[in-house]
Amino acid sequence: MVGSGHPRTMKIKKDFHGKGVIIKCLKTIPPRKGGITADMTVLDTVAGWEETQAVFQRYDAFAGECICCNAFFETIGDMAQKYGLDLDGLLADLEAAAMKKT
């Protein structure tokens, strides 16, 4: 659907790791042009490519806490620096997940 010119609607209702954090987002998201970059927020990334949520969940073990719970509004670059994550590896994993659906 990336670059198709059709808006898509994303519904997010998740309970992250049983902590009772429920995020509800019901909005039209324009198609993404280009890839995932370090200056995008975790929220923008998950909203644009739902498949990337699983990547952030895998990185929770390295971060020592739930990234989507505690760094949702941070940029990927800032979040990677905060948790000492390999930014290039994370971006590659996010891009790979995003490409699975396209």
Side-chain angles (χ1 to χ4, degrees):
M1 185 172 275
V2 175
S4 67
H6 299 289
R8 54 187 169 165
T9 301
M10 162 112 14
K11 296 177 185 177
I12 302 173
K13 183 178 179 185
K14 301 287 182 180
D15 182 356
F16 292 106
H17 301 287
K19 294 184 179 182
V21 177
I22 297 176
I23 298 169
K24 294 180 183 177
C25 177
L26 185 57
K27 66 178 185 176
T28 300
I29 301 169
R32 296 282 186 182
K33 293 181 181 175
I36 298 171
T37 62
D39 64 337
M40 296 174 65
T41 65
V42 174
L43 170 62
D44 290 338
T45 307
V46 173
W49 298 275
E50 187 176 351
E51 305 79 19
T52 61
Q53 183 175 340
V55 175
F56 288 117
Q57 289 173 335
R58 283 197 312 270
Y59 275 81
D60 287 350
F62 301 110
E65 62 185 18
C66 173
I67 292 170
C68 289
C69 299
N70 298 301
F72 211 45
F73 302 104
E74 295 181 32
T75 65
I76 295 171
D78 288 346
M79 179 273 301
Q81 184 176 12
K82 173 181 174 179
Y83 295 120
L85 303 175
D86 172 24
L87 178 60
D88 292 333
L90 174 59
L91 289 172
D93 290 347
L94 291 168
E95 282 288 341
M99 294 301 289
K100 286 182 183 178
K101 195 90 180 220
T102 60

